[in-house]
Amino acid sequence: MTVYRKLFSVNVLHNYYEDGLCQDLDFIPANSSRVLMRNQRWIYRAFDAGFNLICELNEDERAKIKIEERNLYFGISLKQAAKFLAVTNLDEASPQKNFLSNKKIYLTNNGLNTGLNYSILDAIAGDLLNFSFDLPGPEEVTLRLNSVSKNNLIIDYDSNGTPIASPYKIKKSKDGSFGKLINLSKLPDGLYTISVKNAADSGSDLLTYKIFKSAELQAQSTFGVLDIKLPAIDAVIVETKFSISFTRKETFWKYYVINQSGIDLEDFNLFVKDKSADGDTGGNPVYNNYTFVGKPVPADDHDPINKIADVPIVLFKSNIKIPFFEKVKTGLELSKKDGSTEVVLSKNLPNPMPEKQAGEESKVYVYV
C-alpha cells in the first residue's frame, strides 16, 4: 500500500484578520521546483491560507526517494493586491528598510525553524541586470556580487567570453550616475547581494542591493519569492510546519466634521468620544479606547476638502495610531453640547477605508 505524509506545510498568518489566517497569497512553484517535485514523487497541494508538500514513503516511513539538500522556489502572487497592501506593514525592521512599489518580498527558512524570515528584495533579475544608481560624492566605486556561500562572483566577460575577475571598478558618468551591466547568465537561480564600496574597496558598503536571480520569475508579475531550503533527509519523515506572519498597519484616524446644516458651530461644542467596550471582556481587545482632540483645521492642512467644502470644518485626530482590523470598531460617538444639553449626532462613526490612507494618516469625512 502506498503511504504518504506531509514533508512540510506553509501557513500564512495575518493579525488583520479576525481568525488570524491570511488567504491573500498564491504560491506558484518555479519550473525547476516542479521538475524536482515530480522526480521525488512529491505532491503539491494548495489550500486557502498556504500549501502542503506531500512525500511518498517506504514501509519504514522514510522518503521513497532519498532527499538530498535542495532549494525549492515559489513565486508569490496577490489575489487582492490593493486590499493586502493597504492593511499590511511590509517594512523591514532590521536593517530598517521601507517597502516601496518597485520592491519585492523574500521569504526563506533558517534550517527547519518554523518561522520563515522576511526581507525586502530590490529586484528580481533575469540573466542580465542593468544596474544603475546615484551616489553623491565619489567619482569611482568598487562593486562585488556575493551569494550566501561565496563572494566576488564573476558577472562580466570580455568580447571573447573570457571571465573578468571581481571586484569591478566603476567611474561616475557625465550625468552624475553610476551604471554597470551585470551578467548573471552563468550563475544559478538564488539570492545575491550587490555590494558597492569606495574606490579603495574599504570600509562599510556605500550601497547594498539585494536581488533574486530567476529569469522565469522576473518575467512574471510576482509579489515576491519563497525560498525553502531543504536539508538532506534520511530519517523518518515528520512534517515541518512553516509559517509566514504578516502584521497589520496602524494609522492616526482623522475625522473632518463638515457643517452642512447651517448651525453656528461657535455656539456649540463638538466632541468625538470613544464609548466602545473595546478592551473589556465584552469588547475586542485588538482596539484600545482612544482620545480624539478637536480643533479648527490648521492652516498647514492641505486636504482638498478644505477647499471644496466652503463651510466650517472641525478636525478630530486620534491621540495615537489605531490598527487596521477586519472587525469594525464601534462606539465612536460624535455629539454636540448646547449649554448643559448634549445631543449625540452619530453613535458609530464610520471606520476609515485602508485603501484610502495617506502615509501614517487615515481620513474620514463626516457631514452634519
Side-chain angles (χ1 to χ4, degrees):
M1 184 178 80
T2 303
V3 178
Y4 294 91
R5 183 175 296 163
K6 293 178 187 177
L7 178 59
F8 68 82
S9 59
V10 173
N11 287 269
V12 187
L13 311 176
H14 200 314
N15 64 356
Y16 167 78
Y17 293 103
E18 195 169 359
D19 63 2
L21 300 176
C22 178
Q23 301 181 19
D24 297 325
L25 275 61
D26 275 328
F27 299 90
I28 302 95
N31 285 333
S32 59
S33 297
R34 290 183 186 276
V35 171
L36 175 60
M37 292 176 192
R38 184 168 59 249
N39 291 342
Q40 292 285 151
R41 301 176 74 167
W42 294 339
I43 301 172
Y44 173 84
R45 286 288 182 266
F47 54 89
D48 288 342
F51 67 90
N52 297 317
L53 195 65
I54 302 165
C55 179
E56 185 176 354
L57 306 181
N58 287 317
E59 292 180 358
D60 61 1
E61 299 184 329
R62 298 169 188 256
K64 189 83 171 179
I65 299 174
K66 185 178 178 180
I67 300 173
E68 305 291 346
E69 185 176 331
R70 300 286 188 177
N71 280 66
L72 292 171
Y73 301 131
F74 302 82
I76 304 172
S77 64
L78 293 176
K79 299 173 186 176
Q80 300 181 65
K83 174 189 172 186
F84 179 83
L85 295 173
V87 303
T88 309
N89 178 10
L90 293 170
D91 292 339
E92 187 175 348
S94 181
Q96 180 60 44
K97 191 173 187 178
N98 293 329
F99 181 86
L100 305 174
S101 59
N102 61 333
K103 305 298 183 184
K104 307 290 183 180
I105 71 167
Y106 176 74
L107 295 159
T108 190
N109 58 310
N110 181 12
L112 291 181
N113 290 345
T114 55
L116 295 174
N117 300 324
Y118 171 85
S119 60
I120 296 174
L121 289 173
D122 292 290
I124 298 176
D127 288 339
L128 296 174
L129 173 64
N130 190 3
F131 182 56
S132 61
F133 56 96
D134 295 315
L135 272 177
E139 294 297 318
E140 184 180 64
V141 296
T142 305
L143 182 149
R144 300 171 184 265
L145 184 77
N146 306 318
S147 69
V148 175
S149 59
K150 190 175 180 181
N151 295 334
N152 301 327
L153 297 167
I154 300 296
I155 54 170
D156 201 4
Y157 302 84
D158 65 18
S159 57
N160 296 318
T162 303
I164 300 173
S166 174
Y168 304 97
K169 301 293 184 182
I170 308 174
K171 293 185 180 295
K172 182 177 285 185
S173 63
K174 292 181 180 179
D175 66 2
S177 65
F178 294 91
K180 181 173 181 59
L181 183 65
I182 296 179
N183 189 334
L184 304 168
S185 60
K186 302 290 197 299
L187 298 174
D189 288 359
L191 183 69
Y192 296 92
T193 301
I194 301 172
S195 170
V196 178
K197 294 183 183 295
N198 59 25
D201 195 24
S202 61
S204 302
D205 283 1
L206 302 176
L207 177 68
T208 305
Y209 201 77
K210 185 183 292 187
I211 65 172
F212 189 88
K213 189 254 175 170
S214 169
E216 177 190 353
L217 297 181
Q218 189 267 339
Q220 301 172 5
S221 178
T222 54
F223 170 59
V225 179
L226 171 62
D227 177 0
I228 298 291
K229 305 176 190 296
L230 286 179
I233 302 174
D234 190 22
V236 171
I237 296 298
V238 177
E239 177 189 357
T240 300
K241 297 181 180 180
F242 293 120
S243 64
I244 301 168
S245 295
F246 290 108
T247 303
R248 56 180 168 251
K249 284 184 180 178
E250 298 179 335
T251 59
F252 292 101
W253 288 14
K254 295 174 71 173
Y255 286 96
Y256 290 81
V257 181
I258 302 144
N259 176 22
Q260 284 192 324
S261 64
I263 63 174
D264 188 351
L265 291 180
E266 294 182 358
D267 293 339
F268 295 93
N269 288 322
L270 290 177
F271 302 93
V272 172
K273 297 178 181 178
D274 192 346
K275 295 290 190 68
S276 65
D278 295 328
D280 299 334
T281 55
N284 195 305
V286 172
Y287 296 116
N288 294 314
N289 284 80
Y290 305 97
T291 300
F292 289 80
V293 178
K295 62 180 180 179
V297 178
D300 61 353
D301 188 313
H302 301 296
D303 189 275
I305 194 65
N306 300 318
K307 295 181 179 180
I308 297 171
D310 197 28
V311 293
I313 300 175
V314 180
L315 173 62
F316 291 88
K317 181 178 179 180
S318 63
N319 61 321
I320 60 175
K321 291 181 179 179
I322 303 176
F324 288 123
F325 187 55
E326 186 177 29
K327 186 177 180 180
V328 173
K329 178 173 177 61
T330 58
L332 291 177
E333 288 188 0
L334 173 66
S335 61
K336 66 177 182 178
K337 183 176 285 188
D338 181 9
S340 61
T341 304
E342 185 171 338
V343 178
V344 176
L345 301 176
S346 173
K347 286 190 174 182
N348 291 294
L349 287 174
N351 288 200
M353 296 179 63
E355 292 88 344
K356 294 187 177 181
Q357 66 189 274
E360 295 188 333
E361 297 180 341
S362 295
K363 303 175 182 180
V364 180
Y365 305 100
V366 180
Y367 295 86
V368 298

